[in-house]
Amino acid sequence: MTYKDRTFCEIIEHVEDISERINVVYDIRPGILIVFNQYREVGGASVSMYKTPDMYIELTIPHNYTLGRKNKVTIIVILVHEYCHYLKSLEMGSYERVASVQRYQKDQLIRRADEQRNWNATKKMAKKLGLWNKLFYSIARECYYTSALQF
Ligand SMILES: [Zn+2]
């Protein structure tokens, strides 16, 4: 195995480790797609679909990413945040889910309110899992729509 293969494996194991902790607590098991790409930042999305089993969480990770402490926590922040979006989508019926995605995409104010709510949910979930700390908070604050988030 090359150094790069090993790093990919470590990242995948880290994601599996954290997602397993969340799955057990919330009794869910979303599909998780990890995409290694050319971008410079870690990104994530909860892909909301009409049918619940079609929904999944996607993480995009730079191909040259390394797992130092800060990067490890960055992945945790994004993952917990996307799980919160996923849980919120689970609560909705199919039609409501599709309509809410359309509103989110069209309306900047709705998007901001959704995201601010979701960051509060992210903080709650992180606390519940024992993952909330200063580093988690400071990384979260670098993300969009976190100006209202407090430690
Ligand atoms: Zn979000």
Side-chain angles (χ1 to χ4, degrees):
M1 242 205 263
T2 64
Y3 171 76
K4 203 162 187 174
D5 289 336
R6 242 193 331 269
T7 309
F8 284 161
C9 286
E10 274 174 26
I11 292 170
I12 292 165
E13 276 170 21
H14 177 53
V15 170
E16 283 176 347
D17 187 43
I18 300 300
S19 68
E20 189 52 33
R21 283 166 72 171
I22 303 172
N23 291 348
V24 167
V25 172
Y26 293 90
D27 194 22
I28 49 175
R29 188 163 288 277
I32 298 187
L33 178 66
I34 304 174
V35 180
F36 291 100
N37 64 15
Q38 305 286 339
Y39 297 125
R40 277 195 273 141
E41 284 179 19
V42 178
S46 168
V47 180
S48 206
M49 300 286 210
Y50 184 76
K51 289 184 186 162
T52 305
D54 292 342
M55 301 202 308
Y56 60 93
I57 289 171
E58 183 178 300
L59 284 183
T60 49
I61 296 174
H63 65 98
N64 58 354
Y65 210 62
T66 51
L67 269 192
R69 181 163 176 258
K70 189 180 177 195
N71 285 357
K72 264 190 165 172
V73 178
T74 301
I75 288 176
I76 295 173
V77 170
I78 304 292
L79 196 55
V80 171
H81 181 81
E82 297 310 333
Y83 259 91
C84 288
H85 278 303
Y86 178 86
L87 278 174
K88 185 80 199 147
S89 298
L90 272 191
E91 287 171 10
M92 297 178 195
S94 299
Y95 285 106
E96 192 191 356
R97 195 182 292 149
V98 172
S100 97
V101 171
Q102 286 166 347
R103 280 196 305 272
Y104 180 96
Q105 286 167 345
K106 262 196 293 194
D107 191 324
Q108 186 65 29
L109 287 176
I110 285 176
R111 178 183 296 215
R112 191 174 71 197
D114 269 10
E115 287 299 336
Q116 286 181 344
R117 255 196 308 277
N118 202 61
W119 278 110
N120 284 330
T122 303
K123 175 179 171 179
K124 237 182 175 172
M125 184 186 283
K127 278 191 163 177
K128 194 167 178 172
L129 295 163
L131 296 167
W132 180 254
N133 55 41
K134 283 265 182 212
L135 185 57
F136 188 110
Y137 172 70
S138 74
I139 292 168
R141 288 289 272 116
E142 291 167 16
C143 299
Y144 291 112
Y145 306 113
T146 55
S147 56
L149 190 67
Q150 288 182 335
F151 189 75

